[in-house]
Amino acid sequence: MSGQSLLVPGTLSPRRTVPASIARPEYVGKDAPTPYTGPEVQDAETVERMRIAGGIAARAMEEAAKHIAPGVTTDKLDEVAHEYLCDHGAYPSTLGYRNFPKSLCSSINEVICHGIPDSTVLRDGDIVNLDVTAYIGGVHGDTNATYLCGDVDEESRLLVERTRESLNRAIKAVKPGRQINVIGRVIESYAKRFGYGVVRDFTGHGINTSFHSGLIIPHYDDPRATTVMKPGMTFTIEPMLTLGTHEWEMWQDGWTVVTKDRKRTAQFEHTLVVTETGAEILTLP
């Protein structure tokens, strides 16, 4: 694995503004969102709005990813995604969610998730996860992917490639009538082939008019995840695989989650709707 030094927090830029014409999620300006009490199964009209939100999120992430290169700051990536979302009438769902200060999450190398964009400069050989969620039409679309920055070592490159494959395999396992735990069973069994850790405490989630509905999608074989999938259910799958332990620690910012052994980690995510025969990805560009 790359012998690069570990990450340290950078300096935050001022909070970016969103045009007043763009509708905000209800939690903006509050310490926490109002708990979701609606159904996990969505009607066709809601799913269509989520398809629009998901497409915008995917394109915003792609636009930001074009700027990944040695010497670029994670704050620049946040700026690009923020401007894309706003230009397309969407609110960046992370901005102000439980007081998160930025419009995407940028998680580098040993950061599992929820990294805050700041003055950190990308280095040759880094792996960089971008997590973007768009809110438009009263619904959210949530996606992320891990990208290579410059010349990345083989061990890290394979981790990224296999994490993407674990998501693809999990999506294929989604079928109405199956229990949610089939998703984690598929991910964990694939990851074990390579000796990877599977993060347990950060999961996929139900999503709709609520950013996080309360439905939990574990990425390991959790016998408690017995909820049966039904057509119209909408949720994310977002496996986080590691080169070492699945255990984690959190920085003092209350957001940035790093592997306890500081080994590298990768993640991929899509928002899905369960169909009559499987799953449709709602976060395609």
Side-chain angles (χ1 to χ4, degrees), residues 112 199 242 244-249 258-261:
I112 294 171
V199 173
T242 70
T245 183
H246 68 270
E247 297 181 344
W248 54 274
E249 295 174 345
V258 296
T259 54
K260 193 168 185 178
D261 57 12

Side-chain angles (χ1 to χ4, degrees), residues 14-94:
R15 179 167 167 156
R16 305 190 198 283
T17 59
V18 176
S21 59
I22 294 177
R24 273 78 168 147
E26 59 83 23
Y27 53 73
V28 175
K30 298 162 55 178
D31 287 337
T34 301
Y36 178 71
T37 57
E40 298 296 349
V41 171
Q42 307 303 311
D43 59 30
E45 187 269 337
T46 302
V47 171
E48 176 55 30
R49 286 186 283 131
M50 291 182 66
R51 202 175 279 117
I52 293 168
I56 293 172
R59 292 189 292 275
M61 183 176 72
E62 279 194 342
E63 199 62 34
K66 291 176 184 177
H67 295 262
I68 291 175
V72 175
T73 65
T74 53
D75 189 64
K76 176 63 178 179
L77 306 180
D78 182 78
E79 177 188 10
V80 172
H82 179 92
E83 290 183 355
Y84 187 96
L85 291 167
C86 292
D87 287 349
H88 291 81
Y91 186 91
S93 299
T94 60

